[in-house]
Amino acid sequence: MEVITIDSQAYKELMAKVNMIAKFVTAIESKTEEQPEDGWVDSYEVCTFLKISTRTLQRLRVGGVINYSRIRGKSFYRISELQRLLQDNIIRRSEEHIQDLIKNYQLHAEKRRIIKTYK
């Protein structure tokens, strides 16, 4: 093990910079929390909260009605895209369904953030 000694003033300056970076990262994370429309949800969550079948969701994808991204064979959808479908009456559900989806997304995001802080 190697021991490194530094001047206390240099240590204080280093810690001030680290704290400033931590505050910046926290501020950026809080800005992304305020915009859940930018979040991504998977097919299972879409089907569960909007109460549509997987086949209906597949028809929307194949028909080019809904934009999505595929990562490792799994489809993900932007919440803003789902809101557009509701506004255009492509999917006929109440606003409560999309709000439940947003709440669920925020809960999962908070859990992921907590897990990352403990790693």
Side-chain angles (χ1 to χ4, degrees):
M1 183 161 95
E2 185 178 337
V3 178
I4 300 173
T5 59
I6 60 172
D7 183 45
S8 64
Q9 183 62 29
Y11 176 77
K12 289 177 184 178
E13 289 173 5
L14 178 65
M15 289 308 296
K17 289 179 182 180
V18 169
N19 288 334
M20 185 174 61
I21 292 170
K23 287 179 185 179
F24 176 75
V25 170
T26 304
I28 295 295
E29 284 181 348
S30 66
K31 286 181 183 179
T32 57
E33 287 176 21
E34 296 170 1
Q35 302 169 350
E37 299 85 27
D38 292 337
W40 292 84
V41 291
D42 64 4
S43 298
Y44 175 78
E45 291 174 314
V46 172
C47 292
T48 301
F49 286 96
L50 296 183
K51 300 184 185 333
I52 60 174
S53 68
T54 54
R55 178 68 182 132
T56 300
L57 192 55
Q58 181 183 1
R59 267 191 236 112
L60 293 172
R61 281 194 314 262
V62 170
V65 177
I66 187 169
N67 296 321
Y68 67 100
S69 290
R70 184 162 286 221
I71 302 173
R72 294 186 182 176
K74 192 172 182 181
S75 299
F76 291 91
Y77 309 87
R78 282 197 175 273
I79 293 176
S80 59
E81 181 68 13
L82 299 171
Q83 288 175 328
R84 182 189 63 82
L85 293 176
L86 288 173
Q87 289 172 351
D88 294 346
N89 286 328
I90 294 171
I91 298 175
R92 292 183 178 91
R93 295 289 178 259
S94 69
E95 185 64 26
E96 293 173 1
H97 290 94
I98 196 75
Q99 293 305 321
D100 288 342
L101 180 66
I102 291 172
K103 286 178 188 175
N104 186 53
Y105 167 76
Q106 290 172 335
L107 285 174
H108 283 350
E110 181 65 28
K111 286 180 184 178
R112 285 191 303 267
R113 189 175 310 104
I114 289 171
I115 289 171
K116 283 183 181 180
T117 57
Y118 287 119
K119 285 187 176 182

